Structures are given as structure tokens and as C-alpha cells.
Amino acid sequence: DFASEYHLNLKLYYDGNGVLSSLKDQRVTKINKQRKSPVDFSGQIIGTAPLQGELIEDISLAEKDFWSNLFILISGISLISLLIVYASRRIIVSAANSLDKARALAEKKTSELKAAYDEMEHRVEERTSELKNVNIELEEEITVRIRAEKALNKSHERLLTVMDSLDALVYVADMDTYELLFVNKYGREIWGEITGKICWKSLQSGQTEPCQFCTNKKLLNGDGNPTGVYIWTLQNTVNQEWYECRDQAIRWTDGRLVRMEIATNITERKKVENQLKSSLREKETLLLEIHHRVKNNMQIISSLLSLQSRYIKDKHYISMFNESRSRIKSMALIHEKLYQSKNLENIDFNDYIKSLVNDLFIFYGIQGGHIVLNINIENVILDIDTAIPCGLIINELISNSLKHAFPDGREGKIEITSRKMNIKGVNEYELIVSDNGIGMPDDLDFRKTESLGLSLIVTLSEDQLQGKLDFKRDNGTECRIHFKELKHKENR
């Protein structure tokens, strides 16, 4: 092989070179001994004629030296050639190994690239399929949106048609900037093309700042959420017309809160209302005068009965006259309370009863405080049709207690209780009048009696008030009446 050949040549070179060097050194030494003069072993002949035999020998030695040097040179060239061949073979082997490795790596990379390519192809196919499905879905969604947009446009057109056909102002304004975002045809015809302008500058005249009556703050609660519809009236400063406004905070198309107002012209209605108010004031004045005159007439009747009783000697008839006067006075007191109050239809029952019972105590001369009066009436308001029979009933019951329950100055107590109840959405009342006097006789049937007072109590309670009447005789006398408020307006 190459290594063995290289080592063999190298050995021959060193061995031959050593032999030649030894021979040369020996010959030069011999010549120098014979000649005893320096010799230049460069191939040049140094000497004279007497040294001719030596010269021939020197020539032979020089020839040998030449061939020796030539051999050395050839051996060196061979060695260099061998080294070059060896190095070339090593390079070729290394290059071949590198090439094999590169080829294997290339095949590996090629395989990996092919696998990656196949994977990529698979993913591309999957993604392409997904994109196709997505594209189909997008096309369907676009179709749906186009249909929805067309439907929305039609709805918008219909809404605009409705808004423009209303005989009322409809506008939408930004709650922060007061910019008018929408104005219907009615508003444009009266106030002009004001969309995009400031509402308080366009809808009102003479305004230098937002209107003091602006409802923006009333349309939102503390959390900034809409509170609902706010209704109010306003006289416009541009055309001097009256409008009933319905304001509400709504979400605009971009999500912001805006104020929508629908203002209906109520100028004619306002004129009718003013006329009705004027007529009502006239009627109230007339009704006050009527109540005042009725009260005065009843007082006149009471006075006439008092004058007539002076000519009657029988105490029984005198008592009858006095009871009639008491009843007339109870009715007159109602008319007096009506024309003294601001409400001509309803009466404060508590105030009325206190005045009525106080007059009865004076009428029957109850002094000294031996009879205690307790009045417990809740916030009960009665109309005149219910108050008059209630007043007459209380008048009869208190009169009976003052006349019969406490004989010979006996001490006692009278209680009047009234309360309002709401039963299944219907206002019902309970009236209780009681005393701790000697009580009614056990054999007395209050429904079958000749007493005018008891007959009035039964008739007024059950017939006029359409209530339930009950008497209790334990520890005195208690009268309990349960009734509903009369629907006098429907009966008229």
C-alpha cells in the first residue's frame, strides 16, 4: 500500500545517502593526504600536471559524486512525489468522506424537506378547506347582512315616513353638546333646517345659554341611567304656541345618551282649559255663596225653631224642637266647613267632628269636665254626600249620651273612633261611638222603636250609607257602623 511504499523509499534514500556520504568523506581525506592541498569538491579540478593520475581518480570520484547527488535528487523528488500523492490521497479520501457525509446529510435534509413539504401540503389543503368553509359562511353572512340592511333601510324609511307624518315636533338632541341630531318634517317647516345646530339657539329665541327649563337632568337618575318619560308644558318663544312635551333619554345609534322630545301643539286646548278654569272659578265662587246661604238659611230655621219653642209649655215638645235645632245645626256646620275650605267637595272629618261635638257640649250645657271626650279619627276625608249622614248619626248618638248616659251629674267618658280601610282596592270606613254610661235598656229593640233619633241612625246607616249597624250594651253603649264611600258622582 501507499504507507509501506513510502517507508521503503524513505529507508533506501537514507541508506544510500549515508553510504555515498561515507565514501565521499573517505576519498576526500585520502586525496588531501596525498596532495596536502585544499580541494574544492565542487566538480572543479584543482592541481597541476604532476597530479594527473590523481586527477583522473578525482574525475572518477567527481562522477561518482555526480551520480550520487543525482540519486539523492531523484530520491528527494520521489519522496516529494510520494508525499504529494499521499497528501492527495488523504485529501481525496477526506473529500470522499466529506462528500459521503454531505450526500447523506443532503439525503436526510431532502427527506426532511419532503416530509415538511408533505406536511405543508396537508396543512395547506386543510387550511384551504377551512378557508372555503369560512368563505361560504362569510358569503352567507354577507347575504344575511345585506338582507338585514335592506330591511333596516326599509324600516328606517317607514319610521321617517311616520315621523314626518306626525302633527307634532319630534327631535333628538345630544345631552352634552345640545346638538340637534334629528328633526322631523313638522319641526323643519316651523323652525327651518336646524339639524346639526344647537337646540336652545334654534328652537327658542333670545337664549344666550342652555334653557333653564331644560329637562336633561330630570331624565337621568343618580347612576346616569334613563328614568322614563317626563311630561311637561311649555310656551315656545318663537311662535308663542303652547306645547305638551314628552321627553325621554334614549340610546342613539352610536351608543351615547340623547334626549328625544315629542312636542304636541296644545294651544287650542290651553285656551279651552283657561276658559274652563275661569268658568270653574266662577262656579266655585257661586258654590261658596250657595253653601254660605244654605248655612245662613239653616241658622235662620234654627233660630225660628228657638223662637217658636219659647211659646211651648210642654217640655216634651220643647225637647223635640231642641233636637231638631241640633240636627239642623249639624247640617249647617257641614256647609260652613265647605265654604271655609279650599275644597268644595271633600271635608276633613276630624275637624268637622270636633266642631260638631264641641257645639253639642255647649248646646246641652255640659260644663265642669265630668264627661271626658276622646276623639280618635285618622286622616279621613269624606265627600259631602257621605259626611252629612255621618254627621247626623254622630249628632244623634252624642246627643243621646249627653242626655241619658250620665244622669245626675255622673262622671263618664265618650269616645269617637273612625278609620279608613282598603279592602280589595275599595275604600271602606268604620265609625265607632261609645260611652261608659248606664247603657240602653236590655229590652229595647233599636230597629223597632218610636225614638226618632234611633230611627234616624238606622235609616242613615243602612239605607243612605248602605252600611252595617251594630249596638253593644256591655259596660255602657257602643254603636259600630261599617260602610263604603258613596259613589255620588255616578248617582247624579
Side-chain angles (χ1 to χ4, degrees):
D1 61 1
F2 178 79
S4 300
E5 182 181 354
Y6 169 76
H7 285 291
L8 178 60
N9 293 330
L10 187 61
K11 183 176 183 301
L12 293 174
Y13 169 76
Y14 280 109
D15 290 343
N17 191 35
V19 173
L20 293 176
S21 297
S22 178
L23 292 175
K24 183 180 70 171
D25 291 339
Q26 292 176 5
R27 181 59 181 164
V28 169
T29 302
K30 181 180 178 180
I31 294 174
N32 287 336
K33 285 181 179 181
Q34 292 176 0
R35 292 175 53 187
K36 296 180 181 181
S37 61
V39 177
D40 186 2
F41 199 75
S42 61
Q44 295 181 356
I45 299 175
I46 302 174
T48 56
L51 297 176
Q52 184 177 6
E54 293 177 2
L55 178 60
I56 294 171
E57 187 178 354
D58 289 339
I59 292 172
S60 177
L61 290 173
E63 183 180 357
K64 290 179 179 180
D65 290 337
F66 170 76
W67 289 110
S68 176
N69 289 335
L70 180 60
F71 175 75
I72 292 171
L73 178 61
I74 292 172
S75 298
I77 292 172
S78 298
L79 179 60
I80 292 172
S81 298
L82 289 173
L83 291 174
I84 292 172
V85 171
Y86 175 74
S88 298
R89 288 186 178 180
R90 291 293 302 271
I91 292 172
I92 291 171
V93 171
S94 176
N97 292 334
S98 298
L99 184 60
D100 291 339
K101 291 180 180 179
R103 185 180 293 108
L105 181 61
E107 290 177 354
K108 181 180 179 182
K109 292 295 182 180
T110 302
S111 178
E112 291 177 353
L113 286 175
K114 187 177 183 306
Y117 177 79
D118 293 340
E119 178 67 19
M120 183 63 68
E121 281 288 334
H122 179 67
R123 292 185 180 182
V124 168
E125 289 178 358
E126 289 182 347
R127 187 58 179 166
T128 302
S129 177
E130 292 176 0
L131 290 175
K132 287 181 179 179
N133 294 332
V134 171
N135 188 44
I136 293 172
E137 293 177 358
L138 286 175
E139 289 178 353
E140 293 176 352
E141 183 177 352
I142 290 171
T143 303
V144 171
R145 288 194 177 186
I146 291 174
R147 291 175 182 173
E149 186 176 353
K150 290 181 179 179
L152 183 62
N153 290 334
K154 289 182 179 179
S155 176
H156 181 68
E157 291 175 0
R158 287 193 293 265
L159 180 61
L160 286 179
T161 302
V162 172
M163 290 292 185
D164 287 339
S165 64
L166 290 176
D167 189 25
L169 167 64
V170 181
Y171 74 85
V172 177
D174 188 285
M175 299 184 74
D176 294 325
T177 64
Y178 303 98
E179 178 188 358
L180 289 167
L181 305 175
F182 170 79
V183 181
N184 71 336
K185 182 180 178 182
Y186 180 94
R188 296 193 301 271
E189 289 178 349
I190 297 177
W191 287 275
E193 294 293 339
I194 56 176
T195 303
K197 298 182 180 179
I198 305 301
C199 62
W200 54 267
K201 292 182 179 179
S202 304
L203 296 175
Q204 301 292 334
S205 64
Q207 290 291 128
T208 58
E209 59 183 2
C211 305
Q212 295 181 353
F213 48 80
C214 182
T215 60
N216 282 352
K217 294 181 180 179
K218 298 179 180 180
L219 303 180
L220 302 175
N221 59 21
D223 298 328
N225 297 319
T227 57
V229 179
Y230 178 75
I231 303 175
W232 58 297
T233 58
L234 168 74
Q235 186 177 21
N236 186 261
T237 55
V238 174
N239 57 10
Q240 304 304 317
E241 298 288 313
W242 281 92
Y243 291 89
E244 182 181 75
C245 306
R246 295 175 177 267
D247 294 3
Q248 184 175 8
I250 62 173
R251 291 285 179 185
W252 196 235
T253 54
D254 55 4
R256 58 178 158 168
L257 281 172
V258 296
R259 172 169 54 90
M260 181 182 70
E261 179 172 289
I262 302 175
T264 305
N265 193 318
I266 59 168
T267 303
E268 293 301 321
R269 190 181 79 184
K270 198 73 175 177
K271 291 178 182 179
V272 173
E273 286 180 358
N274 292 334
Q275 292 174 358
L276 290 175
K277 287 180 180 179
S278 178
S279 176
L280 181 60
R281 284 193 294 268
E282 293 176 0
K283 291 180 179 179
E284 287 177 350
T285 302
L286 179 60
L287 190 57
L288 287 173
E289 183 63 23
I290 290 174
H291 285 303
H292 185 64
R293 287 175 181 257
V294 169
K295 176 252 182 184
N296 289 341
N297 290 336
M298 286 185 172
Q299 283 184 341
I300 292 173
I301 293 172
S302 178
S303 298
L304 290 174
L305 290 174
S306 178
L307 290 174
Q308 185 66 40
S309 65
R310 293 178 184 179
Y311 298 96
I312 299 174
K313 303 302 180 181
D314 192 330
K315 292 184 178 181
H316 176 70
Y317 292 120
I318 292 175
S319 177
M320 291 175 61
F321 270 78
N322 289 336
E323 289 174 0
S324 297
R325 288 176 56 205
S326 176
R327 294 170 186 132
I328 292 171
K329 190 170 182 63
S330 71
M331 292 186 290
L333 183 60
I334 288 179
H335 290 280
E336 181 180 352
K337 293 295 182 182
L338 283 172
Y339 78 72
Q340 288 178 351
S341 68
K342 296 180 180 180
N343 191 333
L344 296 178
E345 291 187 357
N346 299 321
I347 293 176
D348 185 345
F349 196 54
N350 183 43
D351 181 58
Y352 167 65
I353 294 302
K354 287 181 180 179
S355 298
L356 175 62
V357 175
N358 184 61
D359 289 345
L360 287 174
F361 268 64
I362 295 173
F363 184 80
Y364 287 101
I366 304 301
Q367 297 178 354
H370 66 282
I371 299 177
V372 178
L373 176 66
N374 292 328
I375 299 177
N376 300 310
I377 297 178
E378 297 178 1
N379 186 24
V380 176
I381 304 296
L382 299 177
D383 60 46
I384 186 172
D385 289 344
T386 307
I388 288 177
C390 286
L392 289 171
I393 291 170
I394 292 174
N395 180 80
E396 296 300 324
L397 292 171
I398 298 299
S399 297
N400 285 339
S401 295
L402 295 177
K403 288 191 300 180
H404 307 295
F406 309 103
D408 302 326
R410 178 177 174 175
E411 293 183 353
K413 180 175 65 175
I414 298 176
E415 290 189 4
I416 302 174
T417 303
S418 181
R419 63 192 181 99
K420 180 180 179 180
M421 301 172 291
N422 189 287
I423 301 176
K424 295 181 179 180
V426 178
N427 291 331
E428 299 188 8
Y429 300 90
E430 186 178 51
L431 175 63
I432 304 172
V433 180
S434 63
D435 64 60
N436 60 352
I438 61 175
M440 295 172 59
D442 293 336
D443 58 349
L444 177 65
D445 186 356
F446 63 90
R447 298 184 187 279
K448 298 177 181 180
T449 179
E450 295 180 356
S451 171
L452 178 60
L454 290 176
S455 298
L456 281 174
I457 292 172
V458 173
T459 301
L460 293 171
S461 300
E462 296 181 344
D463 295 343
Q464 189 162 346
L465 290 178
Q466 300 177 3
K468 295 179 181 180
L469 173 65
D470 183 35
F471 275 98
K472 292 184 179 181
R473 308 182 192 193
D474 300 334
N475 192 24
T477 303
E478 178 185 284
C479 177
R480 187 182 296 265
I481 305 172
H482 189 85
F483 61 95
K484 299 178 181 178
E485 188 173 11
L486 296 177
K487 301 295 183 179
H488 67 285
K489 293 182 180 180
E490 295 178 0
N491 296 333
R492 289 179 177 175

